[in-house]
Amino acid sequence: MLYGWTVRLLPILLLATTTRAQQWTRFRGPNGQGPADAQAIASEWKSSDYAWRATLPGEGLSSPVVWADKVFVTSCHESGPVGLVLALDAGTGDILWQKTYALTKYMMNSSNSYAASTPAVDAERVYVLWPTADELTAVALDHEGHEAWTKDFGSIRSNHGPCVSPMLY
């Protein structure tokens, strides 16, 4: 699973360092379509193309989001289960802060993860959804990792394990 994290995270991180003017605010980027305005993105990746690498705790399927000099991503420890929100320095890859959330264990597809939802970010907050069989909890954190609010939206039903990513309007 660590290899999967590296494959998904590194292109976004290189994008974060080469396109500081464009924020990557949600799943599939600013407009939800996936492409970036950057002209300097390599079509083939070599280890010399990476600005940095980071080993993240746990595992997950979410995509990172970027605002200014920070990269935000979710991860999880399946055994707990425990959800993690991490902020990394976009220039160095150093973990700036990490928040931990206890989650309710539920049955899901073996290809899914408790950290499948991609966060959303704006100038003030990072928004994360922790979906389980019993609750769908939205969490808003400021860019320094302080919790601004949480909201439980009740249970949701899914045969494969819930995965919804927030989108700001």
Side-chain angles (χ1 to χ4, degrees):
M1 191 55 106
L2 183 59
Y3 176 76
W5 259 112
T6 303
V7 170
R8 282 188 297 277
L9 187 59
L10 287 176
I12 296 295
L13 299 179
L14 184 59
L15 176 69
T17 59
T18 59
T19 61
R20 291 214 188 260
Q22 183 182 14
Q23 313 302 340
W24 200 261
T25 58
R26 65 181 180 143
F27 180 68
R28 296 186 52 80
N31 62 8
Q33 301 298 310
D37 294 335
Q39 302 299 315
I41 302 294
S43 59
E44 293 183 30
W45 298 91
K46 301 178 207 108
S47 55
S48 62
D49 292 326
Y50 303 131
W52 49 264
R53 289 179 180 241
T55 301
L56 302 177
E59 56 187 39
L61 301 172
S62 69
S63 297
V65 294
V66 179
W67 191 273
D69 60 347
K70 290 188 176 92
V71 177
F72 303 96
V73 68
T74 61
S75 182
C76 68
H77 295 291
E78 301 285 336
S79 60
V82 174
L84 308 168
V85 182
L86 297 105
L88 289 83
D89 183 292
T92 65
D94 294 336
I95 296 176
L96 301 172
W97 55 260
Q98 172 179 313
K99 294 291 277 190
T100 304
Y101 293 89
L103 303 175
T104 304
K105 192 171 186 75
Y106 64 95
M107 293 291 296
M108 70 174 111
N109 184 300
S110 62
S111 297
N112 203 351
S113 164
Y114 289 96
S117 299
T118 296
V121 63
D122 63 17
E124 296 180 22
R125 306 230 191 308
V126 180
Y127 305 90
V128 179
L129 291 178
W130 294 117
T132 70
D134 297 328
E135 68 263 339
L136 173 63
T137 304
V139 178
L141 305 161
D142 68 18
H143 287 217
E144 303 308 313
H146 302 108
E147 198 170 284
W149 53 260
T150 63
K151 169 82 172 141
D152 182 5
F153 291 96
S155 64
I156 58 174
R157 306 296 298 163
S158 172
N159 292 332
H160 301 287
C163 175
V164 292
S165 296
M167 188 170 78
L168 303 178
Y169 176 77

